Amino acid sequence: MGLTMRWALAPLCVMALAACGDGAGKADGTGAAAPSDRTLTATLGGDRAFGTLERVLENAQLGEVLAGKGPYTVFAPSDAAFAASAGDLGDEAMKAQAAAMLRAHIVPGALTRADIEAAIAREGSGGEVRMRTMANSLLTFSKEGETMIVSGDNGARARLTGAETLASNGVLQPVDALLARAAAD
Amino acid sequence: MSRLLPLPATALALILAAPTAALALDPGNGNGKGAGGDRQERGNRGGDDERGNRGNGGGNGRGPERGPERGPERGPERGNARGDDRRAERPESRVVEIVRGRGDDARGRGGDDRPTDRRELRRVVEREVFQTRDGRSVVYFQRDRDRGLIAGCPPGLAKKDNGCLPPGQARQIARAAAADRYDWLWRSRDDGFRYRYDDGYLYRMNQQGSLLGYLPVLGGALAPGVTWPSQYAYQPAPDYYSSYFGLPQGRDYRYADGALYGVDPQTQMIRQVAALLTGQNLSVGQPLPSGYDVYNVPYDYRNQYADSAQANYRYNDGYVYQTDPRTQLITAVIQLLT
């Protein structure tokens, strides 16, 4: 009987291991993925796609915050997004600016894409939903076809790209542009 | 920048602090620490909102000779940093005054026989503590655009011995402003003022360019390794935050302008930025403000606090807020203790 039970549990164990392997924390679109055991800071450090963001985070001395309890959701601009308009936020003289920029990309709590999609769906066709950032600004989420769009102040606009990562203390949501920008003259 | 209190001022500060320190020992400390699971709070917010009164007064710049004399005004408040669990039914507001006299130079400028420089510094520490039905407290921080704006001559300018010229006139500031292409980052403070950043501080000016005050900012004058700016008001963090965020003992935790800082109580050195907070004042009976449309409850609590036809749940700054889906009114504030 005991042996039978052990074999019966074996497939579950394999599934659990698969969920926590290389793809740990990667959501499967249903919002049901288990979070990784790595913090947001560790996740950023281990992903080459966010090298600039990691430098900016370090420059702003906020790495400890994103390694802490949280939870936070970080909208993580790609290296290309930083290069386009704010590549110097990793410079020593730009610590405060780096912190201000980062705060506009962080919201409280754990926001999965499934959560955002569900909220937009509740609003009906063309619906928009909003979340407040740590910079006291608002991010607006909407959908264009299958693409999820997030807009910040002054017309900043980005797409949620790639796969989200569920870290131990929040969610990393890749975006393809910065969510804060100077007002158009 | 040394932050040591000169002896006479220290003694006076202790005397002034004594009543409030005693109050801090009132029953009500340690609300729920170590309790398993989460605990539900039903905040009963008082109707008296005194948030309009938060400025830091006094200390206007009178010239370069006052430059090094910043610092002693924090003493009395340290004793209150853990007094946040006091029960109160109304927002509390505390005023601490320090009068400095001869011998207030703590920076080793021995032999300085300047005439007595006597001035008064007044600080207001304000936060709101509300008693819950079961006798525990919920502390609301307030994020306000004006909070912490310091009047007078900022450290950087005072040091430069330039007569405390406002940024619009001081060459250094003008140069920095010209070079700073990120000034737009500060314009989210959409309050009709102009802002410029330089050397850790944000300078507020009117449209004519006159300096109105300055504000230390995260990553600048508020960063790990930097001494807490003198005269800058803060709100002591409640014990609940130490518990929720798992913060190390032996530090003062201060909320200011959207962040929680761990400060060495002896040296006043900022040791860590412990958390980012929205600082939004959400309380029972109020409608949930704009910006909480998406379900964002931490993973560990999702089974317990799932949205339903009867209640929605949103996380913010260490608490979960229960709302009525029909009215959008906040019906409960829930502490998340692990």
Side-chain angles (χ1 to χ4, degrees):
Chain A
M1 182 65 183
L3 188 63
T4 308
M5 280 298 291
R6 277 201 293 275
W7 280 111
L9 288 173
L12 290 177
C13 295
V14 170
M15 287 168 66
L17 284 171
C20 298
D22 288 343
K26 297 283 183 190
D28 59 4
T30 66
S36 139
D37 58 0
R38 294 196 301 176
T39 66
L40 289 162
T41 298
T43 303
L44 280 171
D47 194 331
R48 290 182 183 176
F50 302 110
T52 307
L53 177 58
E54 191 190 357
R55 276 204 308 282
V56 174
L57 181 68
E58 194 175 325
N59 193 36
Q61 296 177 279
L62 293 178
E64 192 175 352
V65 170
L66 296 188
K69 170 88 173 179
Y72 306 101
T73 297
V74 179
F75 292 92
S78 60
D79 286 355
F82 275 109
S85 57
D88 54 353
L89 288 183
D91 295 351
E92 172 80 14
M94 294 289 184
K95 286 178 178 297
Q97 290 86 348
M101 179 67 86
L102 286 174
R103 288 210 280 187
H105 288 75
I106 300 174
V107 302
L111 259 70
T112 66
R113 286 200 189 165
D115 296 328
I116 301 170
E117 291 219 36
I120 294 172
R122 276 198 301 274
E123 298 297 313
S125 176
E128 292 184 341
V129 292
R130 290 176 180 79
M131 289 299 288
R132 189 163 295 276
T133 72
M134 296 300 178
N136 207 22
S137 57
L138 287 172
L139 297 180
T140 302
F141 299 88
S142 59
K143 281 194 84 171
E144 285 183 2
E146 291 306 306
T147 306
M148 199 135 19
I149 305 293
V150 52
S151 309
D153 288 339
N154 295 332
R157 191 170 185 274
R159 292 177 298 178
L160 267 62
T161 55
E164 66 185 0
T165 301
L166 306 188
S168 61
N169 60 344
V171 184
L172 201 67
Q173 296 282 4
V175 289
D176 66 355
L178 296 180
L179 300 179
R181 52 171 283 185
D185 292 328
Chain B
M1 286 193 298
S2 169
R3 303 294 179 205
L4 293 175
L5 284 171
L7 192 55
T10 308
L12 181 56
L14 288 172
I15 292 167
L16 288 166
T20 48
L23 280 172
L25 297 174
D26 279 357
N29 279 329
N31 51 335
K33 257 191 192 175
D38 63 282
R39 305 179 63 171
Q40 187 149 329
E41 304 277 346
R42 302 214 172 247
N44 180 21
R45 181 182 181 149
D48 187 1
D49 189 342
E50 300 175 358
R51 277 173 292 164
N53 178 22
R54 350 189 142 80
N56 299 312
N60 270 323
R62 287 180 299 167
E65 76 281 3
R66 291 172 53 255
E69 300 160 10
R70 308 173 305 274
E73 61 280 8
R74 275 184 321 287
E77 290 174 23
R78 257 182 272 154
N80 302 328
R82 295 292 171 203
D84 38 53
D85 285 330
R86 274 186 290 157
R87 298 174 183 184
E89 293 180 349
R90 290 160 52 90
E92 66 175 327
S93 177
R94 184 184 311 131
V95 177
V96 178
E97 285 183 300
I98 300 172
V99 179
R100 294 173 50 188
R102 182 182 291 277
D104 59 352
D105 190 347
R107 290 161 186 78
R109 294 185 306 172
D112 184 354
D113 57 356
R114 296 170 306 134
T116 298
D117 178 13
R118 192 175 188 85
R119 61 180 176 133
E120 294 188 4
L121 298 175
R122 171 182 286 250
R123 299 189 60 196
V124 179
V125 175
E126 181 186 350
R127 62 213 161 100
E128 294 173 301
V129 182
F130 299 101
Q131 190 173 16
T132 59
R133 279 185 190 165
D134 58 0
R136 286 173 293 118
S137 59
V138 173
V139 177
Y140 294 107
F141 288 134
Q142 298 162 3
R143 184 180 189 130
D144 183 87
R145 290 166 179 164
D146 291 345
R147 178 149 201 103
L149 189 72
I150 304 169
C153 192
L157 295 185
K159 238 179 347 194
K160 290 164 187 165
D161 197 20
N162 65 0
C164 197
L165 289 175
Q169 298 170 35
R171 197 174 38 167
Q172 301 93 322
I173 305 297
R175 193 168 56 223
D180 194 346
R181 67 190 186 90
Y182 288 105
D183 269 359
W184 57 268
L185 274 169
W186 321 113
R187 290 191 190 125
S188 61
R189 300 167 177 272
D190 187 19
D191 50 16
F193 296 110
R194 294 164 58 196
Y195 287 95
R196 283 182 181 167
Y197 176 83
D198 184 62
D199 199 19
Y201 290 85
L202 201 56
Y203 297 86
R204 176 189 283 181
M205 294 163 292
N206 62 20
Q207 293 299 330
Q208 288 70 45
S210 299
L211 177 67
L212 302 175
Y214 61 104
L215 185 73
V217 295
L218 176 69
L222 294 174
V226 177
T227 303
W228 188 269
S230 62
Q231 298 188 45
Y232 185 52
Y234 58 87
Q235 297 164 79
D239 283 350
Y240 170 66
Y241 272 24
S242 300
S243 175
Y244 175 75
F245 287 110
L247 303 176
Q249 301 284 316
R251 292 177 183 169
D252 284 351
Y253 291 99
R254 302 174 177 181
Y255 171 81
D257 196 28
L260 189 65
Y261 300 89
V263 178
D264 185 316
Q266 304 302 320
T267 65
Q268 298 297 304
M269 179 84 76
I270 298 172
R271 294 295 182 194
Q272 67 177 133
V273 182
L276 294 176
L277 304 169
T278 69
Q280 281 217 294
N281 189 354
L282 310 178
S283 52
V284 170
Q286 285 187 334
L288 194 66
S290 175
Y292 294 89
D293 294 337
V294 183
Y295 182 72
N296 65 343
V297 170
Y299 312 126
D300 292 346
Y301 298 93
R302 288 192 162 213
N303 288 338
Q304 216 164 345
Y305 303 115
D307 280 0
S308 69
Q310 287 73 44
N312 286 341
Y313 298 93
R314 295 292 182 269
Y315 169 86
N316 187 53
D317 292 358
Y319 296 95
V320 164
Y321 293 86
Q322 177 183 297
T323 62
D324 184 324
R326 289 171 294 112
T327 63
Q328 291 298 307
L329 294 178
I330 297 171
T331 52
V333 183
I334 302 164
Q335 286 188 352
L336 300 177
L337 292 177
T338 53

